[in-house]
Amino acid sequence: MTGKMIKYELKQMRPVLLISFIALFFVTIVGFMVGVLPILIFGGKNIGTGIWSTVMTGISFLAYAFILLVIAIGMDIFIGFRFYKSMYSSKGYFTHTLPLKTNELILGKTIPAILVQILVDLMVIISAVIIFLGYYVAKEGLENAIYNITSLIQIFAGRYFYTGFGIILAAIILGIFAVIKTVSVTFILLLCASLGQLFNSYRILMVVVSFIAINRIIAAVEWFINAVVMEGVKADFYRRGTGTMINLIFVAIINIILLIVSYMLNYYIISEKLNLE
C-alpha cells in the first residue's frame, strides 16, 4: 500500500517537476545565448573586457543564480504546502482513512518529496555546469576552463578540502553530504507542517515561522562546529583538508539525527496530536 501511495504522490508531483524542468531548460538556453554564445561568435579574447560588458555579464549571472534560488525555494514551498493540505486540511480526513499505518503514511509522503527534491537539485547542477563550463570554455579554452572550474569548486568546497582529496573524491563526498542534507531538510520541512497544524489559527504562518526558526538554529550549530574544528587546525596547512572532512562528518551526523528526530516527532503528532481543519 505504501508503494501505491508513493506512485500516487509522484504522479501528483509530476506537473510541478515538469514545470521546473521547462523553467530550468528555458533559463539555461537564455543564459547560454546571453553569456556563452556571443563569446563563441566573437571570440573570447575580443569580448568581455570592457566595463559595460563585465557589468552585463555579472548581472546576467546574478539573475541566473536568483532564478535558480527561486526555483529551489518554490519547490520547498510546494512540498510543504502539499504535505499540509493532504494531511491536515479537509483533505486530511480522506488521507487518514486510508488503511495505512502512521509510519507508512509518513514514508509514503516523504519519499516522493525527497526524490523530487533530488531530481530538481540534479537539474540545477546540470544547468549550472552547462552555463559555467560553457562560459569558461568559450572565453579561455578547455585547459583554462578546467582550471577556472577547479577554482570555483575550491571556493565552494574549501580550498584545503579540495587539495587534500582531489576533485573526484571531493565531488563524491560532497554528493553524499548533499543527499543527506536534502533528506534532512525534507523531513524538517514536513515536521514544520505538522507543527503548524497544532495551532488553531494562523497555521500556514506558523509553518513558515517554524521552518525559518529551526533552520536558523541548525545554521548556528553548524557554524559553531565549523568554527571550532577549523580553529583547531588553522595553524597547519595540510590538516585543513582533514578539518573540513571532520566538519562535514559532524554536520552529516547532525542532519541524520535531525531527520530521525523529525520522523519521530511527525509520528507522534500524527498519532497523538492530530488537529484537522
Side-chain angles (χ1 to χ4, degrees):
M1 192 66 183
T2 305
K4 291 183 179 179
M5 172 168 278
I6 291 174
K7 290 180 181 179
Y8 174 77
E9 288 294 317
L10 288 174
K11 184 178 180 180
Q12 293 299 307
M13 292 182 178
R14 191 182 303 165
V16 175
L17 191 60
L18 179 61
I19 292 172
S20 298
F21 172 79
I22 294 173
L24 281 168
F25 181 80
F26 177 75
V27 168
T28 303
I29 293 297
V30 172
F32 189 87
M33 292 178 64
V34 173
V36 179
L37 194 59
I39 301 176
L40 288 173
I41 295 174
F42 297 105
K45 296 181 180 179
N46 300 319
I47 193 170
T49 56
I51 295 177
W52 174 252
S53 179
T54 302
V55 170
M56 289 305 297
T57 301
I59 291 175
S60 298
F61 279 123
L62 286 175
Y64 173 75
F66 175 76
I67 292 173
L68 294 186
L69 181 63
V70 169
I71 291 174
I73 294 175
M75 185 57 65
D76 283 340
I77 293 173
F78 167 76
I79 289 175
F81 183 74
R82 172 166 177 76
F83 182 77
Y84 175 85
K85 294 295 289 184
S86 63
M87 290 290 288
Y88 304 123
S89 69
S90 56
K91 294 181 180 179
Y93 289 97
F94 170 75
T95 301
H96 293 287
T97 59
L98 295 173
L100 291 171
K101 298 179 181 178
T102 302
N103 64 309
E104 293 175 330
L105 195 59
I106 295 173
L107 293 178
K109 295 288 184 179
T110 306
I111 292 175
I114 292 171
L115 292 176
V116 169
Q117 288 277 42
I118 292 176
L119 285 174
V120 172
D121 289 343
L122 286 175
M123 287 190 291
V124 168
I125 291 171
I126 292 172
S127 174
V129 168
I130 291 173
I131 295 298
F132 287 101
L133 184 60
Y135 172 79
Y136 284 118
V137 169
K139 191 170 178 61
E140 302 182 17
L142 181 60
E143 183 177 347
N144 288 331
I146 293 175
Y147 172 79
N148 283 307
I149 293 297
T150 300
S151 299
L152 281 176
I153 294 174
Q154 292 181 29
I155 290 173
F156 290 106
R159 180 162 60 95
Y160 306 103
F161 175 72
Y162 171 84
T163 303
F165 295 97
I167 185 170
I168 296 178
L169 184 56
I172 292 173
I173 293 171
L174 290 174
I176 294 173
F177 172 78
V179 170
I180 293 174
K181 187 71 175 179
T182 299
V183 174
S184 174
V185 169
T186 304
F187 269 94
I188 292 171
L189 180 62
L190 302 188
L191 171 62
C192 292
S194 297
L195 293 174
Q197 67 91 39
L198 294 174
F199 296 85
N200 293 323
S201 58
Y202 304 108
R203 289 182 164 197
I204 299 299
L205 175 61
M206 296 312 299
V207 172
V208 176
V209 170
S210 299
F211 187 70
I212 293 174
I214 291 175
N215 275 279
R216 290 303 88 204
I217 293 172
I218 294 171
V221 172
E222 291 180 352
W223 176 87
F224 177 77
I225 291 174
N226 179 69
V228 171
V229 172
M230 299 313 293
E231 179 68 23
V233 299
K234 72 175 184 178
D236 190 336
F237 176 89
Y238 297 100
R239 292 175 59 195
R240 294 190 184 185
T242 304
T244 305
M245 171 62 93
I246 293 172
N247 178 60
L248 281 176
I249 291 173
F250 272 118
V251 172
I253 291 173
I254 289 174
N255 279 277
I256 291 172
I257 293 173
L258 284 170
L259 72 89
I260 294 173
V261 171
S262 297
Y263 171 84
M264 294 175 64
L265 288 175
N266 257 323
Y267 188 97
Y268 173 75
I269 291 172
I270 294 172
S271 300
E272 306 294 337
K273 299 292 182 180
L274 194 61
N275 183 26
L276 298 178
E277 289 181 354

